Amino acid sequence: MSTPTAASLTSEAVEPHLQGRFGKPYLYERECESTQLLLLGSGLSEGAVGVTDHQTRGRGRLGRPWVEPSGTSVLASVLLQPPPERNAPELSLVAAVAVAQVIDQTTGLTSQIKWPNDVMLNRRKVAGILAELSDRTVVLGIGVNVNQTTEELPAETPKPATALRIETGQEWPRAPLLAAILLELERRYDDWQRLHTNR
């Protein structure tokens, strides 16, 4: 029987957990350069998601590298097409709030958001958001450290890193976690659009 760490984020593993419109279509690569590149310029519809178990050239804000052992993190990008009059850079914070909410609900811990795009647990970075705009399309990259051990996290980073496993003492199945993040992001994104519509 596979462990939560070994369990994949294939469509077969994740799609049974999907409840909203985000995640359709669902693109999965066992390994890729970056999930952002699965969606940028793809021409896919809003809600498309690109997912991998390992990025060979993952990156965060300001071009910083995102490094993780294969099969330990949630690594996903979501394609959004907000109306042109909306303030698209706000979506980094929208996504950070969604990820923080799911982490809190899943673990029972209380996370913090370090503006504009980091989610922290005990003052250590557990998740990050990368938003890229191209031709009125926003691709939101989401990276969550889930089942890494202390030894598997990079030692020298601008912010100390942690993982859900380190903070809780247990491993977590990644497929339902990703599905919960997509659903919460969808809800927060819809709320964000309604808020702007009502201004």
Side-chain angles (χ1 to χ4, degrees):
M1 179 179 294
S2 62
T3 66
T5 298
S8 177
L9 291 177
T10 61
S11 58
E12 292 80 7
V14 175
E15 285 179 351
H17 299 281
L18 295 176
Q19 299 181 48
R21 67 185 189 277
F22 282 13
K24 302 166 187 175
Y26 186 95
L27 284 67
Y28 168 81
E29 297 284 347
R30 185 184 63 81
E31 180 178 287
C32 69
E33 187 172 326
S34 166
T35 57
Q36 296 290 90
L37 298 179
L38 296 178
L39 299 181
L40 283 168
S42 66
L44 293 172
S45 59
E46 182 170 84
V49 173
V51 179
T52 190
D53 279 309
H54 178 59
Q55 294 182 133
T56 59
R57 295 185 65 184
R59 64 193 190 283
R61 190 165 171 260
L62 304 178
R64 295 187 180 110
W66 181 284
V67 181
E68 93 299 328
S70 181
T72 61
S73 301
V74 165
L75 303 168
S77 293
V78 184
L79 190 151
L80 302 176
Q81 295 172 326
E85 67 272 15
R86 305 294 192 259
N87 187 12
E90 292 178 358
L91 288 171
S92 289
L93 186 57
V94 171
V97 171
V99 171
Q101 177 71 19
V102 171
I103 287 174
D104 292 358
Q105 291 175 341
T106 300
T107 65
L109 302 175
T110 301
S111 58
Q112 306 84 37
I113 295 172
K114 185 174 176 59
W115 191 89
N117 65 332
D118 291 336
V119 180
M120 317 290 284
L121 278 174
N122 293 325
R123 300 185 180 182
R124 294 177 176 271
K125 182 174 177 177
V126 72
I129 312 297
L130 175 66
E132 295 185 282
L133 178 63
S134 175
D135 296 327
R136 291 169 45 180
T137 294
V138 176
V139 176
L140 280 177
I142 298 171
V144 184
N145 294 333
V146 182
N147 288 323
Q148 292 100 319
T149 63
T150 301
E151 295 74 23
E152 290 173 325
L153 290 173
E156 296 183 10
T157 56
K159 303 181 187 84
T162 191
L164 300 187
R165 177 179 179 179
I166 295 168
E167 299 298 327
T168 64
Q170 68 179 82
E171 294 188 35
W172 295 90
R174 294 178 300 138
L177 182 66
L178 172 57
I181 289 172
L182 294 177
L183 181 60
E184 187 63 26
L185 176 60
E186 180 181 320
R187 290 169 175 166
R188 298 282 179 170
Y189 176 65
D190 290 346
D191 288 346
W192 175 79
Q193 295 211 84
R194 282 192 290 268
L195 176 64
H196 281 263
T197 301
N198 294 332
R199 283 181 178 174

